[in-house]
Amino acid sequence: MTKWKQNKEEYSSFRDPSGKIFFHEREIFRGINSIYQKDYELLMSSGLYDGLVKAGLLIPHAEIPIDEFGPEERQNFYKVIKPKRIAFISYPYEWCFGQLQAAALATLTIQKMAMEFGMSLKDASAYNIQFQQNRPVLIDTLSFEKYHEGRPWVAYRQYCQHFLAPLALMSHTDIRLSQLMRIFIDGVPLDLASSLLPFKTKLSFNLLSHLHLHAKSQKRYADKKVNFTTRKVSRSALIGLLDSLESATCGCNWRPAGTEWADYYEDTNYSNSAIELKKKIVGEFIDEVKPKNVWDLGANTGLFSEVVADRGIPCVAFDIDPAAVEKNYRQALASKKLSILPLVLDLTNPSPAIGWENKERKSIIERGPADAALALALIHHLAISNNLPFGKIAEFFSFVCRTLIIEFVPKDDSQVSRLLVSREDIFSDYNQETFESVFGRFFSIIKAVKVGDSKRTLYLMRKNDGL
Amino acid sequence: MRKIRWFSPNLLFLLLIFLMMPKKVDAYIDPGTGSYVFQIIMAAILGSLVAIRMFWKKIIYFFRKVFSKKSKNDQMETK
């Protein structure tokens, strides 16, 4: 049994007593324990499953006859289901404000719908939500239990810590505080959120209650014996509570502007024709490679991710700036380019593996490699601003993709001159020849095209075999 | 949801309760109990606010009916 677990089980699944995610011949399955049988059957028969799937809120699945599996599965599970696979797994500390808010509201909508069908969510963890076609969807099918009128919502604390606290902090204190989700594996502790939020948040009934007073209550009653059986929360009171949480969640707002990169395309001296030409060249490279998926590194507002998306190829668009990612997210939704998934990522300090044994949530490299990666107008930021040698950059790219479309920006380009204005020029190796030779250790250069009148060059490179 | 003034009697009462009983225990020991208790209090408040709102609507409706009857009687008298 231990050996099976080590080989096949999805590690983060260990906390769930209702079932386990496992892999079988590179496909993902969820085994359901017999302890969960009644709730699962209620989920399917009550109409809740159909309602949620139709609304695009729950990941659909197919039931697989248990005979198709080996004796271990037959021994452990009463049933096996095959959920639809999520194209790219992302985590709440990688989401922009809009995505976290959408995930929060989806959770509340799911809970309200569940109650209509006589069920309730057992947990409101942000890790139960993934983005499919840039929309939030619940992936933990076994998160539902029968609703017993009178019982309070067991997931209330988790909702406040995973969703409401980080949203309030991002909205009222600093947008970068979403990174607290990386440090605290079960959401932001409410006493920490309460101490970081400005005083004005205590003037709002919803935030005062669900965050500040809630935090005080946690401290007050910690380790105290409370008689659980005599308390009652009626159905309408619980609906009122959910409405209040929804109001608090919607009340958090954030406008993407004023950060370093938010207005990049307005500030630079990119002419329209230069951008169009670059888009054309990138498009031709993509058409030649025909990748199954693309990572756009340093995507900013997704100008070039659109080139990928227009060809129907799923694209994950990473950028360090939360404002740029937020703009990308809103534009992608508005223009219905749903195959773009914008995420916040600092390439010089990308998402690590965290959680128990550092295995519950995967690092960014573990979630790759991508078929192709775009590294446009990026190399000078890594090499000069961040003092990374070409060799290290090339090696990292070889970990995350099989084909690389990269733009070399020479020292006499205006953007690079800007970086060197207040910095000693110790970058004697920063030139095109060294770039080509160092990258040549990891990649084979298939094409090199000068971008019109600018001094920049676009490369199409393929990772060397045997790496 | 209708905006609630922060100095409403419910809230002051709640604040008073919490302020009067300070206790320094780290929440990581057991955040569940506090959340559980708090949710019950919040749900009771919110549930009663909904009930009060329904009650006020009934009162206002009642008065509207009374006043509209009065004005109808006035109109009939002047005619």
Side-chain angles (χ1 to χ4, degrees):
Chain A
M1 174 105 151
T2 331
K3 200 171 164 198
W4 174 86
K5 268 191 179 170
Q6 278 166 1
N7 291 341
K8 289 203 217 162
E9 188 184 301
E10 160 54 44
Y11 193 84
S12 59
S13 197
F14 74 84
R15 289 187 194 277
D16 189 359
S18 313
K20 294 282 174 286
I21 291 274
F22 65 93
F23 296 93
H24 179 73
E25 285 164 20
R26 308 190 86 194
E27 296 276 356
I28 193 165
F29 295 92
R30 190 186 286 274
I32 306 177
N33 296 337
S34 42
I35 195 177
Y36 193 72
Q37 181 173 352
K38 277 216 175 86
D39 286 324
Y40 174 76
E41 280 166 8
L42 183 57
L43 169 69
M44 303 306 290
S45 60
S46 62
L48 176 59
Y49 171 81
D50 295 316
L52 286 173
V53 168
K54 197 165 167 205
L57 288 169
L58 176 66
I59 197 87
H61 68 257
E63 290 185 5
I64 310 290
I66 196 115
D67 320 312
E68 293 192 18
F69 296 94
E72 284 170 295
E73 283 85 355
R74 270 180 274 169
Q75 188 192 340
N76 293 332
F77 308 124
Y78 112 90
K79 196 182 270 271
V80 174
I81 58 175
K82 185 170 184 294
K84 185 172 168 194
R85 192 143 191 175
I86 299 282
F88 184 81
I89 296 287
S90 60
Y91 299 125
Y93 39 87
E94 294 166 340
W95 297 340
C96 65
F97 180 86
Q99 286 166 323
L100 184 59
Q101 193 175 47
L105 293 173
T107 304
L108 290 176
T109 308
I110 292 168
Q111 171 62 14
K112 282 190 191 171
M113 200 187 283
M115 283 175 69
E116 283 174 32
F117 289 89
M119 299 199 84
S120 178
L121 279 172
K122 283 191 289 187
D123 48 13
S125 161
Y127 296 95
N128 283 352
I129 302 283
Q130 285 296 332
F131 279 84
Q132 183 86 300
Q133 296 288 287
N134 213 6
R135 289 210 168 94
V137 71
L138 179 72
I139 56 164
D140 190 0
T141 314
L142 310 186
S143 188
F144 297 97
E145 62 176 0
K146 185 170 194 293
Y147 171 65
H148 300 273
E149 170 123 19
R151 282 200 203 160
W153 190 33
V154 67
Y156 172 62
R157 178 194 65 83
Q158 214 171 28
Y159 183 84
C160 292
Q161 294 192 195
H162 280 243
F163 291 114
L164 193 55
L167 281 171
L169 286 168
M170 289 161 87
S171 172
H172 296 289
T173 308
D174 195 299
I175 189 66
R176 294 166 291 183
L177 288 174
S178 62
Q179 294 305 303
L180 284 177
M181 293 291 283
R182 220 207 266 189
I183 306 169
F184 298 103
I185 195 72
D186 195 21
V188 181
L190 294 180
D191 60 333
L192 176 62
S194 179
S195 67
L196 288 173
L197 284 168
F199 179 78
K200 66 174 183 191
T201 56
K202 293 188 180 174
L203 303 179
S204 141
F205 175 80
N206 288 321
L207 292 183
L208 171 67
S209 327
H210 298 299
L211 294 181
H212 297 289
L213 295 182
H214 189 173
K216 286 208 157 59
S217 178
Q218 283 184 340
K219 272 203 160 97
R220 168 81 183 89
Y221 289 98
D223 233 16
K224 266 217 147 71
K225 267 197 170 346
V226 166
N227 191 343
F228 286 102
T229 51
T230 57
R231 309 297 178 179
K232 288 240 177 274
V233 172
S234 71
R235 173 186 277 264
S236 54
L238 184 47
I239 302 271
L241 185 78
L242 293 171
D243 282 338
S244 170
L245 286 172
E246 193 169 343
S247 185
T249 308
C250 288
C252 295
N253 289 304
W254 185 69
R255 274 187 312 114
T259 59
E260 203 184 326
W261 297 105
D263 307 307
Y264 176 69
Y265 284 114
E266 281 102 64
D267 288 344
T268 62
N269 48 14
Y270 262 118
S271 65
N272 264 336
S273 57
I275 293 183
E276 289 309 311
L277 179 60
K278 197 163 146 184
K279 276 187 177 180
K280 184 166 160 288
I281 301 172
V282 171
E284 282 165 7
F285 284 174
I286 297 278
D287 288 332
E288 184 171 327
V289 175
K290 289 196 188 15
K292 291 196 221 68
N293 52 59
V294 176
W295 285 6
D296 187 354
L297 305 171
N300 197 266
T301 54
L303 204 59
F304 297 93
S305 317
E306 285 177 7
V307 173
V308 178
D310 286 341
R311 285 155 173 77
I313 302 172
C315 181
V316 188
F318 298 102
D319 199 86
I320 191 176
D321 185 355
V325 178
E326 181 79 23
K327 279 188 175 176
N328 193 355
Y329 170 69
R330 293 183 189 190
Q331 275 163 20
L333 279 184
S335 60
K336 293 212 172 12
K337 292 192 204 261
L338 302 176
S339 55
I340 300 178
L341 177 62
L343 294 173
V344 181
L345 189 80
D346 178 356
L347 280 176
T348 64
N349 183 17
S351 306
I354 62 170
W356 184 254
E357 287 185 21
N358 284 140
K359 282 200 223 162
E360 275 185 85
R361 312 295 166 205
K362 297 182 172 47
S363 73
I364 200 74
I365 294 180
E366 285 171 298
R367 284 176 271 160
D371 243 9
L374 303 181
L376 307 173
L378 181 65
I379 188 82
H380 52 301
H381 295 297
L382 296 175
I384 295 184
S385 305
N386 283 285
N387 213 354
L388 289 159
F390 280 149
K392 285 255 174 268
I393 300 173
E395 191 178 30
F396 173 73
F397 287 151
S398 74
F399 291 152
V400 300
C401 69
R402 298 186 191 97
T403 304
L404 179 64
I405 296 173
I406 183 165
E407 180 181 16
F408 180 74
V409 187
K411 251 191 208 172
D412 47 1
D413 181 281
S414 59
Q415 290 301 306
V416 185
S417 316
R418 207 195 261 190
L419 294 180
L420 289 170
V421 154
S422 53
R423 185 188 248 111
E424 194 189 330
D425 188 351
I426 52 170
F427 308 99
S428 54
D429 279 344
Y430 189 88
N431 54 60
Q432 195 144 3
E433 294 75 40
T434 315
F435 170 80
E436 285 186 10
S437 96
V438 173
F439 268 73
R441 297 208 300 259
F442 300 89
F443 294 89
S444 314
I445 298 174
I446 300 179
K447 271 204 174 121
V449 178
K450 257 208 154 34
V451 185
D453 288 338
S454 80
K455 303 186 181 83
R456 302 173 173 217
T457 312
L458 273 171
Y459 289 87
L460 176 62
M461 301 186 183
R462 185 160 288 136
K463 184 168 143 183
N464 290 336
D465 294 329
L467 273 178
Chain B
M1 183 159 163
R2 207 169 49 131
K3 237 185 175 177
I4 314 292
R5 291 195 177 275
W6 70 276
F7 45 77
S8 78
N10 275 337
L11 224 47
L12 276 176
F13 182 64
L14 207 61
L15 267 166
L16 227 58
I17 290 194
F18 283 111
L19 288 171
M20 282 186 337
M21 297 189 277
K23 193 175 184 237
K24 268 210 171 276
V25 178
D26 286 320
Y28 69 80
I29 289 175
D30 165 31
T33 313
S35 292
Y36 182 91
V37 169
F38 187 73
Q39 190 191 151
I40 290 165
I41 297 173
M42 275 305 294
I45 291 178
L46 291 164
S48 62
L49 284 171
V50 169
I52 288 173
R53 194 177 1 165
M54 298 299 290
F55 183 61
W56 269 119
K57 275 196 175 144
K58 277 191 181 161
I59 290 187
I60 288 169
Y61 180 66
F62 172 74
F63 272 114
R64 281 214 179 113
K65 268 178 69 178
V66 167
F67 275 117
S68 66
K69 266 196 197 161
K70 266 195 178 168
S71 63
K72 269 192 199 158
N73 288 337
D74 289 339
Q75 280 177 1
M76 280 169 66
E77 278 171 15
T78 50
K79 277 183 184 165

